[in-house]
Amino acid sequence: MPHGPALGTPRLSEPLQRERWRILHAVHDRVEEVADTAVAVMRAEIPSYALQDAPFFVEVREQVLEHYRMQLAALAGDRDIAAEDLVFSRAAAMRRARAGFALEDWISAFRVGRQVMWDALLDCAGTSDEAQQAALSLVTPLMRYVDYASTHAAQAYVEYQQHVVADADRERRDLLDQLLAGVAPTRGALSAAAQAYGIGPRSPMMAVVAVCVGDTHAGDHGWAANGYATSASISVAGPWAGRTLVVVRHGEVVAVPVLRAGMDADDICAHFEAVQRRLAREGTMLSMGISTVAQGASELPRAYEEARAALDLVPSGGGVAALPRLSPFDYLALRADDLARQLVDPRVRAMLAEDRGRGDTLAATIRAFAEADLNLRLAADRLRIHHNTAHYRLRRIEERTGRNPRRIADLLELLVALAIRDGDGESEDCS
């Protein structure tokens, strides 16, 4: 903004002009008293100001005085206002932002300053008609000045906050890059950042990688927005105290949760599953891969590759693949390729496909029989069916597939075929 608002003398009658100048000069003569009043009101009405010490209010008073003197000179027509005149105000705004003051508190200070100045103008005006009209002629230019000055202050706040956010993002990315190289920082700013996230050279931690379904390529602006929304959701505390390192990078969100005292891998998995479900309800569908536990930073590169590999296990419609919750058998079945599918006997495929359409009773019997360690009576009890019904189902499975579930090799083949079918079915359902 090279030029400020027009605050000079408007076209008024000679008597009103004289009254206007009289009011302005009267306020100028008592401007220090007016500034003291403004500071006292700020201290009383702005909670964050009330907590400050005496040196802070010395600076605030200097700021208020400089604004008031500039306003009065401009209103009297003695000077124009330009952006460079408000450098002192921008510098103060930066200091407030750096000290952690909220922008609304800084703007409230401008509001208080404006109101106290207006009260002083009215008090110096008196009650005559000409004095009241002259005072009213000051309302618009006074508002213009405050709007102009507060806009500059707000810009300074935004610039500082952008600087802080950029620095924080850069620090997180640098920290993650070092961790993914297998090294925990031991000194400097990155070491302090790692400690803030509870990350040490031997801290047990996991890697989580999330991508937006159908929009996983790097550089997409829509993904960037979803990525930062995901990052914010993941950063919210779960069942543990402390922060989680979360970084948006290369079209994915990477989180490094630390297993703190009293936690296990299942707590981490449950938290991220809840995040994925919540974001899905809000319209952001994610695929998430969760690694096994890395015992220290040296194992984190392996955990990161595990999390990325786990993404291949997530159905096309999104979801979570948590490796700590998979058995080696489950993992191998989910990783089955086209050749493994072709190796499943067509009779087994046909039986399982037909059984799915009829409520999966035979599939449930296969699972229950395996989980009961081939104890048919226990399997029947768990399925809440009669022992004879369970026996009939096993005989039916053998007749349809040529595989006897009582033989370990045949039962294993049925379980593998069932796991492949279920994995393929989930992908189709979510596509």
Side-chain angles (χ1 to χ4, degrees):
M1 298 182 189
H3 300 292
L7 304 182
T9 305
R11 292 183 178 178
L12 299 174
S13 66
E14 189 66 26
L16 287 181
Q17 286 281 19
R18 286 196 300 270
E19 281 297 302
R20 198 173 193 267
W21 290 332
R22 180 188 64 79
I23 295 169
L24 293 173
H25 291 152
V27 174
H28 185 272
D29 290 342
R30 52 185 282 196
V31 69
E32 296 211 10
E33 176 190 335
V34 177
D36 289 338
T37 301
V39 171
V41 175
M42 290 175 193
R43 191 168 194 164
E45 294 189 0
I46 305 174
S48 61
Y49 278 41
L51 301 174
Q52 305 308 310
D53 56 14
F56 172 82
F57 289 104
V58 170
E59 183 196 341
V60 171
R61 185 177 185 276
E62 291 173 356
Q63 292 285 316
V64 172
L65 268 174
E66 189 146 7
H67 275 295
Y68 281 173
R69 286 170 176 151
M70 190 177 298
Q71 288 178 59
L72 292 170
L75 291 171
D78 295 338
R79 62 175 298 176
D80 294 326
I81 301 298
E84 54 267 24
D85 295 319
L86 293 170
V87 170
F88 76 95
S89 183
R90 291 175 62 84
M94 285 284 192
R95 290 195 295 273
R96 298 291 181 272
R98 191 178 299 114
F101 285 84
L103 176 57
E104 54 265 31
D105 289 346
W106 180 245
I107 299 302
S108 292
F110 273 94
R111 175 189 57 78
V112 169
R114 179 199 63 206
Q115 185 59 53
V116 171
M117 171 58 76
W118 177 242
D119 290 343
L121 289 168
L122 287 180
D123 186 54
C124 290
T127 57
S128 70
D129 289 341
E130 282 187 345
Q132 291 291 306
Q133 289 181 47
L136 287 174
S137 73
L138 296 167
V139 172
T140 298
L142 180 63
M143 292 295 294
R144 285 175 180 167
Y145 175 88
V146 173
D147 287 345
Y148 188 66
S150 61
T151 296
H152 273 266
Q155 287 174 341
Y157 260 79
V158 170
E159 288 169 7
Y160 178 80
Q161 289 168 349
Q162 288 174 337
H163 171 74
V164 169
V165 169
D167 276 357
D169 281 347
R170 190 179 306 109
E171 182 179 72
R172 285 193 296 270
R173 286 195 300 271
D174 290 347
L175 174 57
L176 180 63
D177 287 344
Q178 185 160 339
L179 291 171
L180 292 183
V183 179
T186 57
R187 63 182 63 186
L190 289 186
S191 176
Q195 290 175 20
Y197 294 112
I199 297 172
R202 288 176 290 279
S203 300
M205 61 191 89
M206 297 164 70
V208 181
V209 176
V211 295
C212 191
V213 171
D215 190 18
T216 59
H217 52 284
D220 185 90
H221 295 297
W223 159 246
N226 286 333
Y228 282 106
T230 301
S231 173
S233 294
I234 291 174
S235 298
V236 174
W240 58 86
R243 301 159 61 196
T244 298
L245 175 62
V246 186
V247 178
V248 180
R249 65 195 291 273
H250 308 318
E252 63 187 21
V253 176
V254 181
V256 183
V258 174
L259 278 72
R260 303 174 193 273
M263 293 173 55
D264 58 24
D266 194 61
D267 295 321
I268 301 288
C269 296
H271 172 63
F272 282 92
E273 287 169 344
V275 169
Q276 195 274 343
R277 289 193 298 270
R278 183 173 71 251
L279 287 173
R281 290 194 298 270
E282 296 170 359
T284 300
M285 187 60 68
L286 298 174
S287 293
M288 281 188 182
I290 304 177
S291 75
T292 60
V293 177
Q295 297 298 334
S298 63
E299 294 187 7
L300 193 62
R302 182 265 302 163
Y304 172 69
E305 292 303 325
E306 286 182 1
R308 296 198 68 188
L311 288 175
D312 293 337
L313 309 180
V314 180
S316 59
V320 179
L323 296 184
R325 291 186 170 181
L326 296 179
S327 68
F329 176 86
D330 293 331
Y331 178 78
L332 290 172
L334 289 171
R335 297 284 292 182
D337 56 16
D338 289 340
L339 177 58
R341 294 180 181 86
Q342 289 300 319
L343 291 175
V344 176
D345 189 303
R347 290 176 297 172
V348 175
R349 284 204 304 269
M351 184 275 291
L352 292 176
E354 181 182 332
D355 184 53
R356 170 171 272 175
R358 294 183 175 180
D360 259 356
T361 56
L362 298 183
T365 303
I366 292 171
R367 289 197 188 94
F369 190 50
E371 291 169 1
D373 296 326
L374 280 64
N375 184 323
L376 187 60
R377 187 172 297 278
L378 178 58
D381 290 343
R382 290 177 176 175
L383 291 169
R384 297 183 181 181
I385 59 176
H386 193 274
H387 174 261
N388 290 338
T389 302
H391 182 77
Y392 167 78
R393 289 183 183 178
L394 291 188
R395 188 170 68 250
R396 178 67 173 159
I397 291 168
E398 183 175 5
E399 291 171 354
R400 292 289 310 277
T401 66
R403 270 68 177 176
N404 181 0
R406 288 185 169 85
R407 294 182 63 246
I408 295 296
D410 286 356
L411 178 60
L412 185 59
E413 186 176 344
L414 290 169
L415 289 170
V416 169
L418 183 56
I420 292 173
R421 184 209 69 170
D422 289 348
D424 291 343
E426 289 178 3
S427 298
E428 293 167 2
D429 292 343
C430 296
S431 60

